[in-house]
Amino acid sequence: MNSPVKSAIVVGAGIGGLTAAAALRRAGIEVVLCERGPELRAAGFGLSLQSNALNALRTLDLGIDEQLLRVGGRALSASYRRPDGSVMRRVEVAPAEALLGAPAVVLARPDLHDVLLAACGADLRVESGAEVLRFTETSDLVQVELADGRTLRADVLIGADGINSAIRRQLHGDEPPRPGEFVCWLALARFDRSFVEVGESVQYWGTGTRFGISDLGDGRIYWWGTQTTTAELASNWPYGKDDLLARFAEWAPPLTEIISGTPESDILALPAQDRPALSEWGRGRVTLLGDAAHPMLPSLGQGANAAIEDAVVLAHALSTHDDAETALRVYERRRIPRTTMFVDESRKLGELEQTVDPDRVAARDRYMSGDTGHTRSLEPMTWPGFDEPGSPGVLPRPLSPLERWHWTVDQVAPLHLVSRVRVQGNLTADAVRSGLAALVRRHPVLHVLVRSDEGRDPWFVPAAPQPIPLREVTSGDWTAEIDAELRVRFDPAEHALDPATGHDPASTAAPLLRATLITSAPGVHDLLLTSTYTIADAVTMVSFARQVLEFAAAETIGWVPEIPAPAPPEALLPREFQDPDGKRAALGRVREAAERDQERNPLRLSTDAEVPPEQRTSRAVRRVLDGPEYRALLAACKERAVLPQSVVAAALARAAAADTGVPHAHYPIGVSVQFRRHLAEPLDDTRTGAYQSMIAVPTQAGPPLWEVASGFETEYDVRVEERRHLAGLLGIGYLMPETPAHADRIIEQLDARGPGNLCMTVLDTGDFPARIGQWEVSGIESVSGMSISGLVMLTVGIGADELSLNLGYVEGLLSADRANALLDALAGTVREAVSATEISAVH
C-alpha cells in the first residue's frame, strides 16, 4: 500500500528521531529533521542495544544491525558483583541470544548516532538551530513555528525531542519530570589494559551505590556509576572527580583506576528522571516518540531500544493505513502498553537497585547469588513486531500442538508441499530473486528457525533474513522436479552454539522455503515453491507464488511493510474451542462420530511393503482434465448442484474399490478442511501458516457416482458445519510424541487407523490473476507429500481452465504402478461421469 502521508517533520535528532527519519524515508515519506542545537551530535557515553532493537532495525533492511556490530562490541556475558569484586552471579548471553534471534551490542552513543545518520541518506533535509515554539494543524497538514521565525509544513509531526519535549508540552502541559532520586555518572574511556573480558559487562552493587563497566572492543570501555541522593542534588550535582574517587575508594581496585584514567571533562553527571506513563500520546496529525513520549529510568536499559521500536512501528503504521490520523493512533495503541511496562518496571527495578535499606540490600544480594536467581525477564528484550499488543504471534514463541505435529512429522520424514505456477513471457531469474527477497522482508515466518532441546519443546525463533534459494532448470517438464522437491530436506533446524565464540551460526540459516525456476521453452516458465506444513499450507504456498510475481513485476527493491507473524492456529479458534468445558464437549463429539463411522466398517488401502519411518519419502503422479471435458464437468456439476470436488471424492472411492477389489465397501476419505474462514476472526491468504485439519468421510464406492457425490457433499457439509475439523485439532496434543525420535508408537497407530490412508485436499485457484505485470499466468497447482502421516494425498486443483489431480504417495508403501493405476481409475471415472454428448455440447 502506498502511504497517503508524503511528508513528515521529526523534531529532535537523538536516537529516536534519527531512527524515525531513516524508517520514514524507507517507507517513501520525505522527512525534515529539526535539531535545536547548531549541529547534529551525540553525548559521549555508551549504551546497550538489546535484541529487540536489533530485530526491529532488521525489518528496515538497511543493514543498520550489521553496521552496529562493526562499530560496537557484541555482548557475551554479564557479571553481578559485590563492591569488593566477589561474584554474585555470572550470566552468559548466548542462550538468550539464541532464543531472541539477535545479539545485543554495547557501543558508544556517538557511533550509534553516526550509523543512524548514515542510514537516513546523504540527502536528508536537516534544519539545525531549529527551536520549536509551537505547532498548528489544519485538516490536511501540520505547521511548526520556529524561534527564528521560520515555519515548516508537513503531513504529520513527530515529537522526538526528549524528556523536556516542546511538542509534548503543547499536547499535555508543562509538568516537570519525575525524579528517580539518584544521580548517574557516565563516561567513555580508552585503556591499554583490559578491565573486563571481551564482550563482558560487569556491575558492582552496593548500598545505594553501583558501578558498571562494559567492553566496547578495541581497548574502549563504557563505564557508569550511580548514587542515591535527593532529587535536588541529583539535578545539580556539585562534585567532581575527586569526590567520585573517594566514594569508590574502598571498592574493587579497578574502579579507582578507571575513574583516575578518565579525563574529568569526559565524565557526565545526570539526574535519573522519568515521567508517569501517558494513556494517549498525540492528537490529529501529531504524535510523540522516544523520551518525549515515555522517558524512563535507566534500570532496564531500554530507553534507546524503546525509541528505536517506536520509530520502526511508526513508519510501518504510516505505510499500511489509509489516512494519517488513523495510522498515528494505531501506532500509539501498539506502543503505549509496552512502553508503559518499560516505565513502570524500570522504576520498580531502580528502587531495588538503589535501595539503602540494609534488609532489602541483603535480600536482593541473596536472591542474585542463589541458584534460582535471575537478572532480567526476556520480555523487554523481545521484539513485539507490528501486531496488536499481546498478540500470541510475537516471536519467539513455542510451536502450537498443530505446528509441533507438522514439525515432528517433518523431522522423521520430509512432509513438504509444492506450489506450481506457469508463467509465459520474459521472466528472468533475477526478477524472481527480487520477488523472493521482497517476500522474505514481508513475512517474519520466512526468517525464523525452529529450536528445541533435542526434539523437546520446539520454539519459533527469529533470525536474520537470508535469501530464499533459487534453483534454475533450463529444460524439461516441471513434473520431473516434483519428486526431488518432496524428498530433499531443508537444512536441519537444530543448530549448536559455537563453543569458541558463543555465537549462533543458525542466525544465517536458509528459510523454510525454496524456489525452482524451470524454463521449458523460450518464454515458457514454471515457478515452483517448496515449503513444509510447519509454516505453510496450500493456500499459503499459492499466495507466496502470487506475491513473488507481483513483487517481481513491480520491481520491488525497497520498503516492504511486514505482515505480522502468525499466531498459533489454536489461539485463533472460536471461543467454544478455547475454554476447558468447550474442549471436552468438542472432543466428546469427535469420539462419538468416530464410533458411528466405524459401524460402517470402512476399508483401508493396503500397503505393498514395510518401510522404516525415517526412510519414507514421497513421490507424485498427475492427471489433468481440461478443455471440453473440464467445461462439460463444470456444466454437469452445475446442473446437478454438486461441486467438482465431490465428484472427485466419489471417484476416489471408486478408484480405491478397483485397487482393493471390494466394490461395495465404504472407504474413509480424509479431507483436509481449510479453516481460515472458520476462525474467530477470518484470515486472508496473505497470513502465513497451516490452517487445515482433517475430517474423515466414509464414502461408499458401489452406488451411482452422482448419487455418491451428492451424499458425500451433504455429509461433508454437515461435518464442517459441526466444526468436527476444529474439534479434531484439540486431540493432537494427546498424540504428540515426546520427541521425533520417540514417534514409533504414534506411527504404528497412524499406519493402522490414521486418517491419512486415503486423503484429499481441495485448492480453488479460480481467483488467481490471469496476468501479473507483463506475464500471462496459468496452471496454478499444489502437490503434497505424506511422510509418516499417511499413505496418499490427492490435491484437487479447481482452476479457471482445468482440473488438476496431483497424487502424492509414500514410495514403497505404495508402488508407482498402483499409484498410477489409482489415479488413472479416478480420472477415468470422472471422465465417464460426463457423457460424450455433454462434452460435445460445450465444445
Side-chain angles (χ1 to χ4, degrees), residues 672-692:
S672 290
V673 183
Q674 296 157 2
F675 58 80
R676 290 169 186 260
R677 67 182 187 278
H678 303 153
L679 298 171
E681 294 184 8
L683 300 178
D684 64 27
D685 67 357
T686 64
R687 299 305 292 260
T688 57
Y691 301 96
Q692 61 185 52

Side-chain angles (χ1 to χ4, degrees), residues 233-288:
L233 197 56
S235 295
N236 300 280
W237 189 253
Y239 308 114
K241 182 173 170 178
D242 289 342
D243 175 76
L244 263 181
L245 287 168
R247 290 178 185 276
F248 292 100
E250 302 301 320
W251 288 45
L255 275 57
T256 54
E257 185 178 349
I258 289 171
I259 297 170
S260 297
T262 304
E264 186 162 12
S265 60
D266 291 346
I267 303 173
L268 302 177
L270 300 173
Q273 298 175 322
D274 68 358
R275 291 184 184 274
L278 294 168
S279 59
E280 56 184 31
W281 289 353
R283 64 170 182 262
R285 293 173 171 266
V286 183
T287 193
L288 302 174

Side-chain angles (χ1 to χ4, degrees), residues 4 157 262 282 396 601 789:
L157 170 63
T262 304
N601 297 314
S789 51

Side-chain angles (χ1 to χ4, degrees), residues 91-158:
V91 178
E92 299 298 329
V93 173
E97 178 181 318
L99 184 62
L100 295 169
V105 58
V106 184
L107 71 168
R109 192 181 185 97
D111 290 340
L112 172 60
H113 184 276
D114 290 346
V115 170
L116 292 174
L117 182 58
C120 293
D123 58 343
L124 171 69
R125 180 183 171 187
V126 178
E127 298 289 342
S128 56
E131 181 183 356
V132 173
L133 295 181
R134 66 187 63 85
F135 65 84
T136 55
E137 286 188 79
T138 66
S139 60
D140 58 356
L141 59 81
V142 182
Q143 178 171 290
V144 172
E145 299 178 31
L146 304 182
D148 60 8
R150 287 179 290 169
T151 60
L152 302 170
R153 297 178 181 85
D155 293 334
V156 294
L157 170 63
I158 315 301

Side-chain angles (χ1 to χ4, degrees), residues 380-394:
M381 295 180 283
T382 299
W383 161 235
F386 301 107
D387 218 334
E388 296 302 309
S391 167
V394 171

